[in-house]
Amino acid sequence: MESQKNSLIPSFLYSSSSSPRSVLLDQVLSSNSNAAFQSPSNLIEKKSPSPTMASRKSFLIASPTEPGKGIEMYSPSFYAACTFGGILSCGLTHMTVTPLDLVKCNMQIDPAKYKSISSGFGVLLKEQGVRGFFRGWVPTLLGYSAQGACKFGFYEFFKKYYSDLAGPEFAAKYKTLIYLAGSASAEVIADVALCPFEAVKVRVQTQPGFARGMSDGFPKFVKTEGYGGLYKGLAPLWGRQIPYTMMKFASFETIVEMIYKYAIPNPKHECSKGLQLGVSFAGGYVAGVFCAIVSHPADNLVSFLNNAKGATVGDAVKKIGMVGLFTRGLPLRIVMIGTLTGAQWGLYDAFKVFVGLPTTGGAAPVPAK
């Protein structure tokens, strides 16, 4: 079983003092003289680390198989790791699906021209070439990296904060409410970081000739709309992203717990890291489908408002129609968001495993006796 839980970190970085290479690395780092050049056999024979070596332990990263020797749960380092994991999971995944997002936005803005997914790609290829598929990738990368940092970092913070407020018994009984409250609180902050980049991204993607990307698109947007225009779509963005994120985190936590409870015979801590990451991806994909459905009307509003200067929500509803708000571009968005959310949870938990933290979800809180 231990062989199945090998760390993703090279073994010479483990903090275990029993590793010859770990001892050698410590000795090289801490030596002030020729002690670093002792023979490996002499170093291996040294059973207990010197005080200097102990002071250098913080350099090394614990293996995930060494509980208690890695990042302390809910410490500043824990939240920093979750924040960085959020940057990787959201920024990279959203940038990767830029072509799908580009077609989706144009289908929402001009359905007469972009009638379907396949024809949408054909129109883009004919008018803008292959490079056109990645128009707006820079504001996408920057915006969703900032959003991911706040989304995941603050979710972990608020989940712990609300659990402590509720107490062990109520935290276990109303855990889904805590997931919902924590994710909603985090997304309020995350969307403030995302909104300016989203405004520029939509304008670049849906108005050919407006700008090549972020560097020229941002100043041009500010010149025509003012800095306030960057946040014109904040309320609809909250309307799209807060329900999306509440569904994303609460359904993921619930689905993962159910997978470990009903589909996998062994407890989570006995499963290999590979299996745990597979559960994270599967739970994330299913959660993403629900996310796409509940947040799609607001997504249509965001695309419309950021594309049309001076437009209001009433204008969007009148032009698109209530049915159109719920259905226009939905099949593509289900595919995109399902894949995106699954990949995000997979990357996020892979990074947590990399730094020695457990994967997200799967263990129901134990009420105090």
Side-chain angles (χ1 to χ4, degrees):
M1 178 60 67
E2 195 65 22
S3 63
Q4 295 177 341
K5 297 185 178 181
N6 287 335
S7 170
L8 295 177
I9 310 170
S11 59
F12 65 86
L13 291 180
Y14 292 176
S15 61
S16 173
S17 61
S18 62
S19 168
R21 283 179 290 182
S22 175
V23 175
L24 179 58
L25 180 59
D26 269 337
Q27 186 70 17
V28 170
L29 289 171
S30 61
S31 175
N32 294 319
S33 63
N34 60 358
F37 299 96
Q38 297 176 19
S39 65
S41 60
N42 291 336
L43 296 177
I44 296 172
E45 290 173 359
K46 192 171 184 179
K47 299 295 184 181
S48 58
S50 66
T52 306
M53 289 170 61
S55 68
R56 298 284 185 139
K57 280 292 184 183
S58 60
F59 174 82
L60 302 178
I61 305 172
S63 162
T65 59
E66 296 181 286
K69 296 185 179 181
I71 296 175
E72 182 182 353
M73 293 292 290
Y74 311 118
S75 65
S77 296
F78 167 78
Y79 293 118
C82 294
T83 298
F84 189 74
I87 292 174
L88 293 178
S89 68
C90 289
L92 294 179
T93 52
H94 275 277
M95 183 188 70
T96 302
V97 298
T98 296
L100 285 172
D101 187 44
L102 189 60
V103 173
K104 184 266 299 180
C105 286
N106 280 283
M107 287 176 66
Q108 292 171 330
I109 298 302
D110 192 356
K113 184 177 181 180
Y114 297 86
K115 298 179 180 179
S116 66
I117 298 173
S118 58
S119 66
F121 276 108
V123 171
L124 282 175
L125 182 62
K126 182 179 179 180
E127 294 187 351
Q128 303 180 30
V130 176
R131 293 184 62 181
F133 288 138
F134 285 91
R135 182 180 295 276
W137 72 269
V138 174
T140 298
L141 175 62
L142 296 177
Y144 284 95
S145 292
Q147 187 214 36
C150 298
K151 184 197 298 276
F152 282 91
F154 280 109
Y155 171 70
E156 298 286 1
F157 170 79
F158 283 119
K159 183 170 70 170
K160 176 69 163 59
Y161 178 73
Y162 293 144
S163 295
D164 290 343
L165 284 180
E169 182 178 354
F170 287 106
K173 186 175 182 180
Y174 301 108
K175 59 183 182 294
T176 301
L177 291 178
I178 289 175
Y179 302 150
L180 292 170
S183 56
S185 300
E187 191 60 36
V188 169
I189 301 171
D191 288 344
V192 175
L194 169 64
C195 196
F197 300 97
E198 181 76 0
V200 176
K201 175 189 80 75
V202 172
R203 188 67 60 89
V204 168
Q205 289 181 335
T206 58
Q207 292 187 11
F210 172 76
R212 295 188 306 273
M214 186 70 186
S215 59
D216 58 336
F218 183 84
K220 189 172 182 179
F221 190 102
V222 171
K223 185 178 180 180
T224 58
E225 301 270 354
Y227 284 101
L230 293 170
Y231 285 94
K232 180 178 67 175
L234 181 58
L237 190 62
W238 275 333
R240 180 188 80 183
Q241 290 297 130
I242 292 176
Y244 166 89
T245 301
M246 292 171 71
M247 180 65 73
K248 174 179 180 175
F249 283 87
S251 61
F252 172 82
E253 298 261 16
T254 302
I255 291 166
V256 167
E257 184 178 334
M258 292 177 66
I259 290 175
Y260 282 114
K261 186 175 182 180
Y262 299 108
I264 297 177
N266 296 328
K268 177 184 174 180
H269 68 274
E270 294 182 3
C271 298
S272 67
K273 295 300 180 184
L275 178 57
Q276 291 183 33
L277 293 177
V279 170
S280 295
F281 177 81
Y285 195 96
V286 176
V289 174
F290 295 126
C291 292
I293 294 172
V294 301
S295 63
H296 193 64
D299 185 62
N300 273 312
L301 289 176
V302 170
S303 296
F304 185 90
L305 293 175
N306 284 327
N307 178 70
K309 183 178 179 179
T312 65
V313 173
D315 296 332
V317 174
K318 184 177 179 179
K319 174 140 182 151
I320 300 174
M322 288 302 297
V323 175
L325 283 176
F326 283 88
T327 60
R328 183 180 292 182
L330 180 60
L332 177 57
R333 192 158 185 267
I334 286 177
V335 174
M336 186 182 81
I337 297 300
T339 305
L340 196 70
T341 308
Q344 285 177 356
W345 278 114
L347 281 173
Y348 178 66
D349 277 348
F351 181 77
K352 290 176 72 175
V353 168
F354 181 81
V355 298
L357 291 169
T359 59
T360 309
V366 179
K369 295 182 179 180

